[in-house]
Amino acid sequence: MGIPTKGVEIPMQRLVLDELELVGCRATAGEMRHVMPLVEQGRMRVREVTTHHFALADYGQALATFNDPASGAIKIIIEP
């Protein structure tokens, strides 16, 4: 999570030809301190959308998996 500090190049041709949507969102300040207890208590079911786990050393593979539609990745957890 975070807010990008540098500009990025967006492949507009792929965006148009594949009819993709690009949506930005920003959490409100202090939101995580309210959300994390709900996750801890099991009131937010994050396990249902977590599809993959990777070690930090395997970040490249995690990113490739996330970017590959055939992988079925929804949420990937990268553990230190």
Side-chain angles (χ1 to χ4, degrees):
M1 72 182 125
I3 298 174
T5 58
K6 297 181 181 179
V8 296
E9 185 175 314
I10 298 173
M12 294 303 293
Q13 185 178 31
R14 180 167 175 235
L15 205 69
V16 173
L17 295 176
D18 293 343
E19 297 182 351
L20 301 175
E21 291 184 39
L22 179 63
V23 178
C25 66
R26 181 182 69 137
T28 58
E31 189 172 86
M32 290 304 288
R33 67 187 163 102
H34 298 291
V35 172
M36 293 312 294
L38 299 175
V39 172
E40 185 178 47
Q41 296 164 10
R43 295 174 62 195
M44 291 187 77
R45 300 182 315 243
V46 295
R47 285 191 177 97
E48 294 176 19
V49 294
T50 302
T51 56
H52 296 75
H53 289 201
F54 289 93
L56 182 56
D58 297 324
Y59 177 79
Q61 182 183 356
L63 186 58
T65 300
F66 182 75
N67 287 323
D68 178 9
S71 73
I74 298 173
K75 289 288 184 189
I76 293 178
I77 304 296
I78 299 176
E79 301 177 22

